[in-house]
Amino acid sequence: PKVSYKLVLLTPIAILSVQGLLPTPQNITIQAVNTQYIMKWDWDEHQTNRTANFTAEYLPAFKKQRRGKIKWTQVCMEITETECDFSPELSYYGIYYLRLRANSNGEHSPWTEIEFCPDKNADLGPPSKVEVTSVRGMLEVKLTDPMTTDNTSMRDKVRDLTYLIEYQKDESQSKVSPIHKIKTQNNMIIISGLEYWTVYCVRVQALESDLNKRSKFSPVMCRQTEDDGHAPPWLIGLVFLLAMVVSCGIILLCFFSFYKSYRTVRKAFFPSYELPANIRECLEDSSLSSDTPQLLTVESELELCCQMLDVVPEENTNVSLRSLSLTEVDVVKHSRQDSGDSGVYSAAEGSGVPLDTKLKWSLQEEDTGKGEDTDLLEKNKLSTHTNCTIKV
């Protein structure tokens, strides 16, 4: 009897040990980010010396409280992978029970059951896209909301979605640099007050204040700032001075060119030197109606005036000083009188004939008029010359 008692006591233990030969999957976790829910587990074939497949199911929490037979919904059935995606089956605001077991050669491991609430247990993902652009000495940060598995914004699921932006100087340029933080609910923000031509690194984190959720930081993005597009005062002053110098140079060059051109034209048309006295006298004594010399036209009435001039040898001329003086005076008077009457100079006057020759011609006219010494002049006369002037 004592032995049978022991057998009775050992029978349940032996049965449990036989049923426990197929262990349950280990390290069951649910990786939930936004609306993606993936169950993962471990299975060591070397430790169990068996290959297995797995079955995963879920049940809404409100159905578990019902009486009677409960029907679980299978999501993954006898799969060889060590993960199962529940994302298409679960609602973000629901509460569920998830369970998993291993199967091998008709044997099944016990179910491992987990309670899961996506709203509370799922992590909030970082912004799906971050763009950092340098604009006039500032950084422009554009954010794209975290996305659901249906490619919609998580802002529809999360009522108070906020972003934490952290930025600092690049550590390679500055070993000790403070981290600056900005919180915003906007999808675009301008970071100002930065140093010009400096590299800044930016990363962004999504926040949900209601459930105190914090996403992982987005990848770090570094950008170099530029200037603000406005020239510094010293550069403006330098450009102004250069412009003034260039303008003055152009003005001086134009003035110099105008001055040289003016002098050239003036020298060509208005010379500074005076005309010779004989030419100036000829111009001043012109008896024409105009003040300037004019050419005679064909239509002008012309009158030919001639004078008989006799040329005598110089050795046959014996004239006293008194006669020469008187004759010179008469010649000058006679010449001026003829010039006033005819309006044109005689060819003898102003033609460069020597004075003594003029005197001889005048003496001959005087002697001819008075009838004195006619025989002496006729004997010594060599030739006769006719002097003509044109009278208009």
Side-chain angles (χ1 to χ4, degrees):
K2 186 176 182 181
V3 174
S4 61
Y5 176 74
K6 289 181 179 179
L7 288 174
V8 172
L9 293 176
L10 291 174
T11 299
I13 297 175
I15 294 173
L16 291 175
S17 63
V18 171
Q19 292 178 350
L21 290 176
L22 187 61
T24 60
Q26 304 298 315
N27 301 324
I28 300 176
T29 59
I30 299 178
Q31 294 183 356
V33 179
N34 296 335
T35 59
Q36 187 176 38
Y37 321 117
I38 298 177
M39 176 184 287
K40 293 188 176 183
W41 60 90
D42 295 332
W43 180 260
D44 191 352
E45 294 183 358
H46 299 286
Q47 184 177 0
T48 58
N49 294 323
R50 284 187 176 187
T51 58
N53 52 51
F54 309 95
T55 301
E57 301 175 346
Y58 77 94
L59 178 70
F62 69 91
K63 290 184 178 181
K64 196 172 185 180
Q65 305 299 328
R66 293 179 182 178
R67 297 179 180 179
K69 186 178 180 180
I70 300 175
K71 183 179 180 180
W72 291 70
T73 303
Q74 291 184 349
V75 179
C76 299
M77 183 177 180
E78 297 182 355
I79 60 174
T80 57
E81 295 84 4
T82 57
E83 65 179 36
C84 180
D85 189 2
F86 286 82
S87 303
E89 306 295 334
L90 306 184
S91 172
Y92 185 75
Y93 298 106
I95 301 175
Y96 302 91
Y97 288 96
L98 311 180
R99 67 180 185 177
L100 175 69
R101 74 177 181 182
N103 309 309
S104 179
N105 298 326
E107 296 182 0
H108 307 286
S109 70
W111 289 100
T112 301
E113 191 175 298
I114 299 175
E115 183 180 358
F116 176 67
C117 179
D119 184 18
K120 296 180 179 180
N121 302 130
D123 295 331
L124 182 62
S128 57
K129 188 176 182 181
V130 178
E131 296 180 6
V132 182
T133 308
S134 178
V135 180
R136 293 189 177 185
M138 301 176 290
L139 292 179
E140 182 182 77
V141 182
K142 293 183 179 180
L143 305 174
T144 303
D145 295 334
M147 307 301 290
T148 65
T149 54
D150 298 331
N151 203 27
T152 58
S153 173
M154 277 298 295
R155 199 177 288 274
D156 299 334
K157 307 289 184 182
V158 179
R159 290 169 292 181
D160 189 15
L161 183 62
T162 308
Y163 295 108
L164 174 65
I165 302 174
E166 293 185 356
Y167 66 94
Q168 66 178 137
K169 292 182 182 179
D170 188 9
E171 294 181 355
S172 61
Q173 293 186 351
S174 178
K175 294 183 179 180
V176 180
S177 176
I179 299 177
H180 304 275
K181 298 181 180 181
I182 300 176
K183 279 188 177 183
T184 180
Q185 292 184 341
N186 300 323
N187 290 85
M188 186 183 72
I189 186 172
I190 300 295
I191 303 176
S192 59
L194 306 178
E195 298 180 7
Y196 299 152
W197 308 110
T198 306
V199 177
Y200 286 86
C201 296
V202 180
R203 63 178 186 174
V204 184
Q205 182 184 47
L207 307 175
E208 183 184 7
S209 58
D210 292 344
L211 299 175
N212 197 22
K213 287 185 179 182
R214 289 177 174 265
S215 71
K216 294 181 180 179
F217 279 98
S218 64
V220 177
M221 301 186 67
C222 297
R223 293 289 183 274
Q224 184 179 25
T225 58
E226 302 173 353
D227 55 22
D228 56 358
H230 300 287
W234 63 268
L235 183 59
I236 296 176
L238 180 61
V239 172
F240 178 76
L241 290 178
L242 291 176
M244 290 294 294
V245 171
V246 173
S247 301
C248 292
I250 294 175
I251 293 174
L252 292 176
L253 181 61
C254 294
F255 178 78
F256 179 75
S257 301
F258 176 77
Y259 178 72
K260 293 294 291 184
S261 302
Y262 170 75
R263 291 199 60 182
T264 303
V265 173
R266 183 178 179 182
K267 286 182 179 180
F269 296 97
F270 305 98
S272 59
Y273 53 83
E274 296 182 357
L275 294 174
N278 57 346
I279 298 177
R280 191 170 61 253
E281 181 181 358
C282 182
L283 295 176
E284 291 176 356
D285 292 344
S286 177
S287 61
L288 299 175
S289 58
S290 175
D291 293 339
T292 58
Q294 297 181 356
L295 295 175
L296 296 176
T297 60
V298 180
E299 293 79 7
S300 302
E301 295 183 0
L302 303 179
E303 180 181 352
L304 184 61
C305 300
C306 300
Q307 280 185 330
M308 298 297 296
L309 300 178
D310 296 329
V311 180
V312 296
E314 188 174 336
E315 61 271 11
N316 296 329
T317 306
N318 295 318
V319 183
S320 61
L321 294 175
R322 183 180 60 81
S323 298
L324 290 174
S325 177
L326 293 174
T327 303
E328 183 179 0
V329 173
D330 292 339
V331 170
V332 173
K333 290 181 179 180
H334 178 71
S335 177
R336 291 299 184 183
Q337 184 177 1
D338 291 343
S339 175
D341 294 337
S342 63
V344 180
Y345 293 123
S346 65
E349 183 179 356
S351 61
V353 180
L355 181 59
D356 55 346
T357 304
K358 293 181 181 180
L359 294 176
K360 292 174 184 178
W361 294 347
S362 300
L363 286 173
Q364 182 180 0
E365 292 175 357
E366 183 178 356
D367 292 340
T368 302
K370 292 180 180 182
E372 296 178 358
D373 298 329
T374 304
D375 297 334
L376 180 62
L377 291 175
E378 290 179 354
K379 293 178 179 180
N380 297 327
K381 188 185 325 179
L382 295 180
S383 61
T384 302
H385 177 73
T386 304
N387 182 24
C388 300
T389 58
I390 298 174
K391 181 178 181 181
V392 181

